[in-house]
Structures are given as structure tokens and as C-alpha cells.
Amino acid sequence: MPKNIRKRKINFKDTTYLNRDFESFRNELIRYARVHYGDTILDFSEASLAGMFVDMAAYVGDIMSFYQDHQFNELSLETAVEERNIERLIRSAGVKITGASPSYVEVSLKLKIDAVAQTDGSTTPSAASLPVVRSGTVISSTSGVEFELLENIDFAEKDDDGELIATVEVASTNSDSVPTEYFLSRIGKFTSAKTIIETFIIPDIFKPFRTITLKNSDVNEIIRITDKDGDDYYEVDSLTQDTVYIKQKNDLADYLSVPERIKMIPAPKRFEKFTDRKSRKTTIRFGSGDEDVFDEDVVPDPSEHAVTFYGDRKSLPFVSIDPNKFLSTTTLGISPRNTTITVKYRSGGGVKHNVAASQITSVKSLITKFQTSVDPVTVSKIRSTVSCLNGTPAAGGENQLSLEEFRQIALSSQNAQSRIVTKEDLISRVYSLPNKFGRVFRAGVRDNPYNPFATHLHVLSRNASGKLEWTSSTLKENIGKFLENYRLITDAIDIVDGVIVNIGVDYSVSVDSKYNPDIVLQSVNFKLQEYFDIRNFQIDQPLMLSEIQNLIINTEGVVSMLEMDIISKEGTVGANSYTDVSYDPYQYKDRGILYPPPGGIFEVKFPNDDISGRVK
Amino acid sequence: MFNFKSSGIKISDPKFRETKESAESKIRPIGIKTPLEIGDDRAEIFKMHIDPLEQIADNLRNLVQTNSGERLGRYSIGCDLMSLLFDRNSQNEAEYENIAIQNIKKQVQRYMPVVAIDEVRFSSVDKVDYTDKTSLSKVIINIQFSVPRLKRLKNRIEVVLYNGG
């Protein structure tokens, strides 16, 4: 072969990187060999020796290609196939693997109590002998599923007006029809999970990241972990989280709408939990710090953690840092030693726990607390009258999710962030505040006009009759503390009240002579009432006047709409009390759209009075 | 204007002139000879076939001697005669031969389509020396084949297989 052609051939590598399987590797190798070694060997057929060598090289390429593919696939949650890898990826996506979940149900507990005579001759239930049914009380369904009371039920609890919160019915009367006994019933929340207390003796050996595994499977909640000194260990999402929220009973005036307050406390004693998918058992992992060693400095002095190198090491530093030494700091929490750990937790669940309504009828184990003045005979008599019935079916019980279901949850949760970046993040985080800390009805976000780094979070709540009201300061405080953990360090969120704009609609229409004008007006009013239902409105949501006009015109019997005005309602009008927000609709109207003031929401507070129509 | 007379190389250039040596080097080796042998004075490391028929005969012998599953990445190649040998006895000899011929023909048709099998003959040699452990009974397969494309007809190869059972 001429030299120049040979040189050109050598320089021309012509290698393709698209081959993935045995055949394509083999074809490419043969093509390459024929180009570059065509003058050395010609026969690459399957039966030849050269063909065998090519096959072997292609086989190696195929296997390597397969493993490379496999490794890359295992890195992605979508494509991973090995169970252990899928589990790891699910955990790293922040999804907790859990066992079966229990069902929850609201059950009415009913008891019979003697009446006591009042000075006016009437009778009331004997308040002194009303018990507290304590959490842990067990009731059972006809199919044998047991439910446990989650929170105490105080039958003597009264509302702001001094009336018993429990529903009171007359159980029996005397010959003069004066009640002698009353039925009292209250709703309590029950779960099908069982409360279990387990203790672990921890030896006097320091062990960073000590783990303990609970005996029962399907643990769905760790209620409390304490050591023998009575110190609490707090559950955290990861051991790097050094503060936790705890709930405190709200003793302020707004306790009815916000029963509990959030308090943020440091948690040097903390733990994280994880559940094995197959055994469904939960393991608790503590921190790495040694309780007996104080962290005097925020940053440990490296010289105290040096390891001396022995021998002639002139070319190397004489000491090196022992990284294990840093594990004994309390940065990741304290590891217990020489103590007894008591774990109180709830376990159990499954889809079979979802029993139908009226199936929970028997009281298995009743835990009550009576006032000391109540005699044992009365206690025994009242206890014997306690019955239960679930008006609604028990729901929420579910078997353990399959690996595929966990995978789908992890995939969707990857998009959600556990921090607040966008306005949508902030609003969704506000709405995810646990119920016990209060519930915001509407939240809206606006830029702070005076501070480019701050955001105004407008919040509003609803009162018992469904009307908008300002959010209580305790709830705002709770929101603030709750958001603290999710907001970016440079962001400021000002939690302020939303602006309630009370409005009314005044309209006049001409009605077809075939229709009764009153009935037509009634229909229009009904349509407008539905339209102005507060559940259809958000903070900063404008009002489309053409939509209202459409509603009126498209009502059967209406021939034409003559007038339609949006009227601001403020102060006290007759028996109706509105907000003091002064709102001029003409100022905020632009091309048929009525805008609320910044952070405002429209409310037709008294639809029967605020929507008025006339027939002309 | 560009002068095309100054571009390119003429075929009459001395560097392309054929010498005796270059004529010899034109004979291109086809494939590696098996069993492997160290090359002689030629440039190749191993001895090579330069006659296509010899290469075909070599490939055919290797194909007959290969058992299925032996070849990495190509598990179907091979006439799989060794497993048949284990089952072979005096009663089923005819059946064995029949299956073996079918296997050989099928494999040749698939992997060496240029070859046409004319005849396959079997002859068995019993164990000769019972005191010698290395002395085994064997089957000698005599294959007559043709390569029509090369117009080389009635060629023979002999493959020896030792009885396993």
C-alpha cells in the first residue's frame, strides 16, 4: 500500500461511539479491522479464528456497555430497577418510607348523668360529676378492630357563654316531666393505631449515631422519647436540624380559633427515624455527640484533635487531623449513653381498619378522671353508662405503599421544595400549617413597596358564621414561626392583615311581561349570591363587571339590564356591621374590571341585604 | 489560471512500479491457521492461510469441533457433536450419525453458506490399548465438501472426536 495512503488511513480514526450492543460492536470492529488491517487478514467470518477474536472483543464491549447503562439507570429514580437503589433514591428525595397507616374516625361518646335541681326549679346535668375521658380509651368495632382515643374529652368543658360544649339530651323524667337524668355526648377523635411503650437500656459506651429498632412494625408516629433523667429527645427530619417546634396550649382570648401556639426550641437531644420497607420496622438513630464532652468552641481547635505520625516523615507534616474526633461534637445531636430510653409510639394500620359507619359500638377499656368529690358508686354508675357510636366511617387506613407507589411519590416530591422561593411556595406553605395551630382562610402575597427584599403576606380567617375576619395575632405569630424554617435567609416576610372590602350590588332590570317580576328578581339575587360566595374569592382577585352583567341578563325573564352598580359598604348600616375600609369603586375601576385595594378581597357580607334589585 | 499538470501523481510514478518483492507482498493472507503455529520468515506472527480453500477447510473443521455455547457472545455456533458422543452406543449409532449429519449441514448452511456438504462418513475406532489410560475410542468424521464459487469440488477433511461416555 502506498505510504501516503497508509498515513492517511492511520490519521483517519473513523471511530463511532454509537455502538451499544454485540452486533453493532462486532460490525464496527470488523469494519475497522478491514480498513486498517486489510492487508494482514481477510477472513472475519463467524467460523474463522479472527471472527472468534472479534466476537470476544464485541462481547466485552457489550457487557461493559450494559453495565454502564445499568449504572446510569440506577442513578435516576425514574429508571432504577434495583430495590435497594430505589429505596436510597426515595430517601434522598426526602420521602419517608413508612409502613401501613391507621384509620381515623370521629366517634360520639355518650354517657348518662344525674340531673341536679336549680333554684328556679329546673334541672341541669350534675356538672360536679362530669368526667374527663382520657386519651388511651379503647373502643371496638363489631369486626374487632380496636380504636384508641387520641385526646382527652372533658365532658365538663364549657364555651364562652358558660354553656356545656357537650350535647345534652333528656334521658328520663319524673312524673312532673322534670328531667331526672341527662345524656351527654361529645365527639372524640380515635385512631386504629395502638400506643406502645418500649424501653431500651443503653450501656455506658459512647457510640456515635446509636440506633435502636422498635419491636413492632408499621410504626406511624413516635409520640415521645425520654431518657431516665426525663429529658425529651425530639424527632427531626435530619440530624442537622437543631431546632424543633413544640406546641403549647394557647391561653389567650383567641384559644377557640387557635387552640395551640408554636414554640421553637433548641433540640440538642434529637433523633431521626427510618423504616425498613421489607420488615416494616422502624429504627431510631440518635446524634453523634458525647453528652459528657462539652463543646466549648463553636469551631473545635484542630490542634486538640491531631494524630501524631510516627517514623521519619520529614517530607510530610508531622500531624494530621483525625476526622473521627469531630464526630463527638453535638453538632448532629447527642448520642445517649448509660441511660434507659423510653419510646412511646403508635403502630398498626391497614385498609381493613376502615370500618363502616355505626360499626364502632363497644367500649373495651375506659380511662376516666372524675373529681375527687365524686363517690365510687357514682363513678361506677356513670362509667357503666358510657357508650359509643361512629356517625361517619373510619377512613385513612391504608396498607403499606408498594415500591412503585413510593417511587411515584418521590418523583412528584422532587419538584416541591422544602423552602420558600416563589410566591406559590409561600402560599402553599401557609396553607400547610397544621390545623392545631389555626387555619388561614385566605393568603395573598405582594411585594413590599418600601423594601425590595421583603414580601407582604396578607392573611384572613373566617368566623364561625363563615364571614371574613382578621386573623388573630396568635395565629399570625404561629405562621411566622412556622415559616421561619422554610424562608431564605435574605428574605423578609411581613405577615399583615388582608383588607376586607365589603361591597353590595345594586341593579335594575326590565322584565318580560309574561314573568312574575318578584320571581325574576329572586332568581337574579340567587345567582348573584352564588357568584359572590366568599369561597370563590381570593386576596387581590379583581371583579369582572361583565360577568355580573352576564349573570343578570342571562336570567330567565330578564329583558334588559338598565343599571348595575357596585356599592361600598362600610361601618354600621342598620343591624349590619361592616369593616371600616373606605373603598371608592370608581377609583379602582379600569376597563370593566374592579380591582380591590392592595391585599384586599371583596366580600358581600350580608347577601340578603347587600344585593338589591329593582324592576323598571 | 491553475495548471492541472502540476497536480496529482501519475500512475507511472516509480513508487508505484511493481517489483518482484511488491508482487510477492500482494499475496494477502486470508486468515490465521489453526492450530496456531509461529510464523516463519514472513512478516506475520502466526502462520496464515493464503489459499482460500485451505482457510475454508480450516473453518469447517473448527465449526465441526465447536460445541454450542463454547463461543463467547455467539452461543449458537458449533455442531454440538460432543454432547451426542456421550449418548452414542452401538444400539443408536445410526441415529447418532443421522443427528450429527443434520447438525453439521445446518451449521454449515448458517455459518459457511459458501460450502456445500457432499458427504459425511463416520468410522469409529475402539479403545486399542486397555492398559493405556490415554488410549480412547474415537469417531473419525470424514467430510467431503465443495466450494462452488471457487470451483473447488470434492475436497475432504477429517475430524477426530474422542468418545466421552
Side-chain angles (χ1 to χ4, degrees):
Chain A
M1 187 183 289
K3 277 184 182 173
N4 56 341
I5 298 175
R6 183 191 290 272
K7 197 174 174 186
R8 255 181 57 201
K9 268 189 172 179
I10 290 165
N11 289 337
F12 181 57
K13 294 287 182 197
D14 191 26
T15 307
T16 170
Y17 297 99
L18 299 173
N19 303 308
R20 308 289 293 170
D21 57 10
F22 181 81
E23 279 304 324
S24 58
F25 271 123
R26 187 177 186 281
N27 292 339
E28 177 61 15
L29 284 168
I30 290 172
R31 192 191 62 77
Y32 189 87
R34 283 201 172 128
V35 169
H36 296 276
Y37 306 102
D39 52 350
T40 312
I41 194 160
L42 289 172
D43 184 15
F44 289 100
S45 65
E46 286 97 338
S48 69
L49 195 66
M52 188 188 79
F53 290 144
V54 169
D55 277 2
M56 288 171 84
Y59 173 82
V60 172
D62 189 21
I63 296 290
M64 287 178 73
S65 175
F66 170 78
Y67 276 102
Q68 199 175 28
D69 273 3
H70 183 69
Q71 297 302 326
F72 273 102
N73 282 338
E74 290 304 299
L75 291 174
S76 161
L77 191 54
E78 261 177 297
T79 51
V81 288
E82 285 183 31
E83 280 193 16
R84 288 177 69 188
N85 286 337
I86 297 172
E87 276 190 47
R88 282 192 199 110
L89 289 166
I90 288 167
R91 284 205 179 90
S92 64
V95 173
K96 296 265 183 196
I97 291 177
T98 51
S101 54
S103 70
Y104 292 87
V105 63
E106 286 190 338
V107 178
S108 170
L109 281 187
K110 197 173 185 181
L111 52 84
K112 196 155 66 172
I113 202 134
D114 288 340
V116 287
Q118 300 297 308
T119 49
D120 59 357
S122 64
T123 60
T124 56
S126 168
S129 47
L130 287 172
V132 175
V133 177
R134 305 187 76 167
S135 60
T137 292
V138 178
I139 56 177
S140 171
S141 72
T142 47
S143 57
V145 180
E146 292 185 351
F147 290 84
E148 203 176 287
L149 181 61
L150 286 170
E151 286 171 350
N152 291 352
I153 303 174
D154 185 359
F155 277 86
E157 198 176 350
K158 291 180 176 173
D159 61 13
D160 286 347
D161 302 328
E163 298 291 329
L164 283 172
I165 292 174
T167 309
V168 181
E169 294 169 85
V170 175
S172 59
T173 54
N174 59 15
S175 54
D176 300 330
S177 299
V178 176
T180 52
E181 284 177 317
Y182 286 96
F183 282 126
L184 266 73
S185 55
R186 275 200 77 176
I187 303 282
K189 280 187 181 168
F190 288 76
T191 175
S192 65
K194 282 182 183 157
T195 304
I196 294 156
I197 295 172
E198 214 173 303
T199 53
F200 298 85
I201 295 162
I202 309 292
D204 191 12
I205 303 163
F206 171 64
K207 189 180 173 189
F209 302 114
R210 185 183 290 281
T211 56
I212 52 174
T213 301
L214 303 177
K215 272 182 197 163
N216 292 63
S217 58
D218 294 329
V219 172
N220 37 66
E221 187 186 6
I222 306 274
I223 301 166
R224 199 176 180 191
I225 296 185
T226 49
D227 59 16
K228 72 177 176 189
D229 298 328
D231 290 342
D232 279 295
Y233 283 78
Y234 295 101
E235 184 176 344
V236 286
D237 285 336
S238 74
L239 289 172
T240 51
Q241 185 187 326
D242 57 0
T243 50
V244 290
Y245 299 117
I246 58 161
K247 54 183 184 179
Q248 258 188 343
K249 201 171 178 188
N250 182 16
D251 46 10
L252 298 178
D254 55 359
Y255 73 96
L256 281 175
S257 59
V258 186
E260 285 166 351
R261 300 156 72 92
I262 297 179
K263 195 179 171 190
M264 200 153 74
I265 58 159
K269 291 187 172 182
R270 54 185 181 264
F271 69 91
E272 59 179 355
K273 68 170 186 197
F274 50 92
T275 304
D276 184 81
R277 198 180 61 83
K278 281 186 178 162
S279 68
R280 299 188 299 178
K281 288 196 170 177
T282 296
T283 299
I284 289 161
R285 178 158 54 202
F286 298 96
S288 60
D290 189 351
E291 204 174 0
D292 295 345
V293 179
F294 288 102
D295 288 341
E296 290 169 359
D297 305 315
V298 175
V299 180
D301 180 1
S303 64
E304 290 172 12
H305 303 295
V307 180
T308 310
F309 283 156
Y310 295 100
D312 182 17
R313 290 182 175 271
K314 283 172 190 164
S315 59
L316 289 167
F318 284 96
V319 292
S320 177
I321 303 297
D322 177 7
N324 285 325
K325 293 278 182 187
F326 293 100
L327 290 177
S328 62
T329 67
T330 54
T331 316
L332 296 172
I334 287 166
S335 175
R337 67 189 282 188
N338 192 24
T339 187
T340 303
I341 293 287
T342 306
V343 186
K344 188 178 178 187
Y345 60 94
R346 286 198 185 95
S347 81
V351 77
K352 284 181 183 170
H353 291 199
N354 296 337
V355 298
S358 308
Q359 294 290 305
I360 303 169
T361 49
S362 66
V363 178
K364 281 261 181 185
S365 149
L366 184 65
I367 309 169
T368 50
K369 188 186 174 190
F370 285 84
Q371 288 181 24
T372 46
S373 56
V374 185
D375 63 278
V377 178
T378 310
V379 167
S380 175
K381 186 184 160 193
I382 293 170
R383 279 175 60 92
S384 66
T385 64
V386 174
S387 64
C388 62
L389 189 72
N390 61 318
T392 53
E398 198 58 66
N399 296 334
Q400 189 189 33
L401 298 180
S402 68
L403 195 59
E404 199 49 45
E405 286 167 319
F406 276 124
R407 190 211 298 260
Q408 293 308 320
I409 290 169
L411 282 171
S412 55
S413 76
Q414 275 177 335
N415 299 327
Q417 298 178 43
S418 61
R419 65 182 74 90
I420 297 164
V421 179
T422 62
K423 288 178 180 178
E424 288 74 22
D425 292 342
L426 177 55
I427 289 175
S428 62
R429 190 59 67 182
V430 172
Y431 288 133
S432 68
L433 181 78
N435 273 353
K436 60 193 173 193
F437 298 123
R439 172 61 73 206
V440 170
F441 175 63
R442 287 289 180 261
V445 179
R446 272 186 162 265
D447 293 334
N448 185 332
Y450 308 108
N451 179 357
F453 299 108
T455 305
H456 272 323
L457 172 66
H458 295 274
V459 288
L460 285 168
S461 297
R462 281 204 298 179
N463 61 18
S465 54
K467 312 289 182 201
L468 288 178
E469 66 173 12
W470 285 330
T471 302
S472 73
S473 54
T474 313
L475 177 52
K476 277 189 271 192
E477 208 176 292
N478 283 351
I479 296 167
K481 284 175 185 166
F482 181 68
L483 295 179
E484 188 64 33
N485 223 27
Y486 302 102
R487 73 175 177 89
L488 300 183
I489 198 163
T490 49
D491 287 350
I493 301 165
D494 304 323
I495 303 166
V496 293
D497 287 316
V499 182
I500 304 168
V501 182
N502 289 138
I503 53 167
V505 184
D506 208 356
Y507 66 91
S508 60
V509 288
S510 63
V511 176
D512 193 323
S513 55
K514 292 176 199 162
Y515 290 85
N516 181 335
D518 290 339
I519 291 172
V520 172
L521 283 182
Q522 211 176 346
S523 309
V524 174
N525 287 355
F526 182 71
K527 274 189 172 183
L528 290 175
Q529 281 180 20
E530 269 192 342
Y531 178 80
F532 282 104
D533 189 327
I534 194 62
R535 285 171 295 188
N536 300 330
F537 282 81
Q538 300 285 341
I539 287 176
D540 286 331
Q541 181 184 325
L543 204 60
M544 305 292 170
L545 297 177
S546 57
E547 283 183 2
I548 304 166
Q549 289 160 359
N550 266 339
L551 279 174
I552 297 170
I553 291 167
N554 291 326
T555 307
E556 200 178 347
V558 173
V559 175
S560 65
M561 191 189 75
L562 306 172
E563 282 175 329
M564 199 277 292
D565 277 328
I566 301 293
I567 308 154
S568 171
K569 300 272 183 181
E570 55 182 285
T572 307
V573 180
N576 296 340
S577 172
Y578 300 94
T579 58
D580 293 329
V581 175
S582 179
Y583 177 75
D584 180 8
Y586 295 101
Q587 191 191 335
Y588 289 95
K589 197 159 99 176
D590 183 23
R591 284 170 284 182
I593 301 171
L594 197 62
Y595 294 94
I601 182 171
F602 291 116
E603 182 194 33
V604 175
K605 195 170 183 181
F606 304 101
N608 292 335
D609 299 333
D610 297 342
I611 298 171
S612 64
R614 292 177 306 282
V615 176
K616 281 189 177 175
Chain B
M1 187 180 274
F2 187 77
N3 186 2
F4 281 98
K5 283 182 181 174
S6 63
S7 66
I9 304 164
K10 286 183 177 175
I11 201 152
S12 57
D13 194 290
K15 72 160 89 169
F16 296 132
R17 196 170 295 157
E18 205 169 274
T19 60
K20 195 184 171 188
E21 283 177 8
S22 67
E24 247 179 43
S25 67
K26 269 182 110 178
I27 303 167
R28 295 196 289 172
I30 297 166
I32 305 163
K33 192 178 176 186
T34 57
L36 291 177
E37 288 176 57
I38 300 294
D40 45 24
D41 54 343
R42 291 176 63 85
E44 285 80 22
I45 302 169
F46 300 111
K47 278 192 178 169
M48 308 290 282
H49 288 298
I50 50 172
D51 178 5
L53 187 69
E54 280 179 25
Q55 177 67 49
I56 287 168
D58 202 356
N59 288 354
L60 181 60
R61 200 184 62 251
N62 284 334
L63 184 66
V64 172
Q65 286 183 318
T66 305
N67 297 299
S68 59
E70 277 180 356
R71 206 35 199 276
L72 203 58
R74 197 177 289 281
Y75 303 103
S76 58
I77 203 168
C79 294
D80 207 16
L81 300 182
M82 192 57 83
S83 61
L84 289 174
L85 278 176
F86 273 89
D87 298 334
R88 177 176 171 266
N89 55 43
S90 52
Q91 276 82 38
N92 64 2
E93 206 157 315
E95 193 189 345
Y96 160 76
E97 285 174 8
N98 210 12
I99 296 169
I101 290 166
Q102 290 303 316
N103 280 8
I104 292 167
K105 283 189 174 172
K106 225 184 272 177
Q107 286 289 314
V108 167
Q109 198 177 7
R110 183 171 175 189
Y111 291 106
M112 299 182 73
V114 292
V115 174
I117 300 290
D118 302 328
E119 186 187 17
V120 182
R121 274 189 297 171
F122 290 84
S123 56
S124 52
V125 178
D126 287 340
K127 191 171 180 175
V128 202
D129 183 1
Y130 286 92
T131 56
D132 182 6
K133 284 182 181 174
T134 58
S135 170
L136 296 169
S137 62
K138 56 191 172 190
V139 175
I140 299 164
I141 305 168
N142 205 299
I143 302 169
Q144 184 182 305
F145 68 96
S146 304
V147 187
R149 202 180 285 179
L150 298 175
K151 293 179 183 165
R152 307 283 286 267
L153 307 173
K154 296 187 178 176
N155 308 284
R156 283 191 176 279
I157 60 161
E158 199 176 78
V159 180
V160 178
L161 297 172
Y162 289 94
N163 265 352

